[in-house]
Amino acid sequence: MSGIRPTGFLHLGNYFGAISNYVKMQEDFDCFFMVADLHSLTTHPDTAALKANVHRVLAENIACGLDPDKVAFYCQSHVHETAELYLYLNMMAYKGELEKTTTFKEKVRLNPENVNAGLLTYPVLMATDIILHRAKYVPVGKDQEQHLEMARTFANRFNHRYGDVFPEPLAFNYNQSLLKVPSLDGEGKMSKSENQMATLYLADSDDMIRKKVMKAKTDSGPTEKNAPKPDYIENIFLLMKLVCPAETVGKFEDDYNNCVIRYGDLKKQLAEDMVNFIAPIRSQVDAILQDEEGLKQIMLKGAEKANTSAGETMKLVREAMGLNYF
Ligand code: ADP
């Protein structure tokens, strides 16, 4: 089970941290993937663009290979049991532990005008989404590690208090370690809403991709053979490994180690491989977005599957909690 907030255009971090794993998992597991529209309300209360953003997230996931026939692909707000389980879990989540969450502190810093209770309890809602389907594996990027730890805490606390209902959810990535796709300026991660010129979006035009890659931070190159790479150069190599053929990466690694690297050439190559990776996804998204009726049918089918699963879990929850009076 996993989700993506409809707060803007999806980017390379969402692709490699999350969606590429969804697409593999759909062949091996019984999967639930959602557009986390309720989560987006914690930071984006204005809903004027919400419908278009929900459509975009649906279309972008499908263009990346997610198959709504193989998984439950749904909108969070279409599963009303979410609100019920969130209520129960909130009574097992303590103010102190929520206030210590790194993402909460970061969001307070970025937006001190809107420190709402939903923002504080974001990890509770996320735990709810996961355990509502009694999910075991949660494909997410490295930025979600702490939230997953909290989801395990809340699931265990419920089990301890009311009896075993939930498995312990684990962060999942086929490549073993969780991934953080860095931003092009060497500062932080690629993100939907921050750092836009340093983030590569799946909707970026070929020229925009070239422009962003060519502006990536580099320096005048190493002066000693086999020198360690500074973080911002390591980041560029990480991006190359994601989209360039292995021999291209190998050639530039050798050039670096022999102090003959030309970052201009490296960035030109990276930009072209990035264009080749993103352009086909972008044009498919445009086609999927044209078909509003198709998107509606996908949401309805996904909601039906998610509601069935949530309904089964909530029966167990109410029984375990003693909320069944007749
Ligand atoms: P964003 O932070 O861009 O708003 P979300 O919070 O909606 O994205 O996260 C959706 C998924 O994408 C999560 O699983 C998250 O871990 C993953 N993700 C987001 N940014 C990155 C990144 N730069 N590198 C790896 N994974 C990421």
Side-chain angles (χ1 to χ4, degrees), residues 2-7 9-18 22 122 139-144 179-182 189-193:
S2 196
I4 299 188
R5 291 179 303 155
T7 48
F9 294 89
L10 299 196
H11 52 80
L12 224 58
N14 298 132
Y15 182 87
F16 286 104
Y22 302 177
Y122 190 107
V140 284
K142 197 162 174 52
D143 56 322
Q144 294 292 331
L179 186 70
K180 174 179 130 182
V181 177
K189 61 161 198 154
M190 288 197 185
S191 148
K192 281 198 227 94
S193 29

Side-chain angles (χ1 to χ4, degrees), residues 1 4-6 33-41 74-83 125-126 128-129 132 307:
M1 192 284 150
I4 299 188
R5 291 179 303 155
F33 296 124
M34 67 169 197
V35 182
D37 52 349
L38 301 178
H39 277 288
S40 71
L41 297 177
Y74 60 100
C75 284
Q76 188 183 23
S77 61
H78 290 163
V79 183
H80 296 164
E81 280 90 347
T82 307
L125 184 54
M126 181 165 154
T128 301
D129 300 322
L132 190 55
N307 277 310

Side-chain angles (χ1 to χ4, degrees), residues 6-7 35 37 40-41 46-59 75 78 289 292-293 295-296 299:
T7 48
V35 182
D37 52 349
S40 71
L41 297 177
D46 181 357
T47 54
L50 192 55
K51 182 174 171 185
N53 282 340
V54 167
H55 283 185
R56 175 160 285 280
V57 174
L58 289 166
C75 284
H78 290 163
L289 280 175
E292 274 218 28
E293 180 57 27
L295 289 172
K296 178 179 160 191
M299 282 188 267

Side-chain angles (χ1 to χ4, degrees), residues 221-229 255-260:
T223 49
E224 267 175 44
K225 284 195 170 190
N226 302 313
K229 299 187 186 81
D255 287 355
Y256 181 89
N257 288 330
N258 295 318
C259 301
V260 293

